[in-house]
Amino acid sequence: MTEKFARFDITEFLETPADMCNYVKASKEEDSGNGFFVRLAFSDVNHTIRARIQSDPTFAQAFRIEVATLFHNGEPEIAQRMLDLLIQALRHHTARRFFTYRP
């Protein structure tokens, strides 16, 4: 009998901006020094941000507030990286709206 596995999608588990920030913090703590876990976490967060911006118009505002909270709490490195991901995702979303790639 063969086993069937469901496809894992990180966007189902990173529901709030706080979840994403905590995920990045945890990966930073568990990283062995080569940065693999941190790069993977930022990749997952980037994927989640892009997916959530398309489906929830208020998500970008909530994420911006979470980034501001990180700055206020004294975590500027993570906050800056998260803000960069948000800006990149918003640019991508805007470009998709204006340019259609039809053959």
Side-chain angles (χ1 to χ4, degrees):
M1 181 175 188
T2 61
E3 295 182 31
K4 289 191 175 191
F5 295 98
R7 182 172 165 84
F8 177 78
D9 189 13
I10 193 68
T11 59
E12 296 175 9
F13 298 98
L14 298 177
E15 295 177 353
T16 64
D19 289 344
M20 293 179 205
C21 294
N22 291 333
Y23 178 59
V24 170
K25 287 179 195 175
S27 66
K28 191 174 183 180
E29 291 174 6
E30 292 295 322
D31 192 37
S32 62
N34 60 3
F36 176 73
F37 284 140
V38 175
R39 286 191 305 271
L40 186 61
F42 279 117
S43 174
D44 289 344
V45 168
N46 187 21
H47 172 71
T48 304
I49 290 171
R50 286 184 180 195
R52 295 289 302 277
I53 284 175
Q54 291 177 4
S55 64
D56 184 11
T58 61
F59 176 76
Q61 179 68 16
F63 196 81
R64 188 188 61 81
I65 291 170
E66 185 64 31
V67 168
T69 304
L70 283 172
F71 271 118
H72 183 71
N73 290 340
E75 300 180 47
E77 302 109 15
I78 294 176
Q80 184 62 46
R81 295 279 306 267
M82 299 294 260
L83 185 62
D84 290 343
L85 289 176
L86 177 63
I87 291 169
Q88 182 183 16
L90 287 172
R91 284 182 181 161
H92 177 75
H93 181 67
T94 304
R96 282 188 65 201
R97 205 172 63 197
F98 289 122
F99 301 106
T100 57
Y101 303 104
R102 294 184 203 156

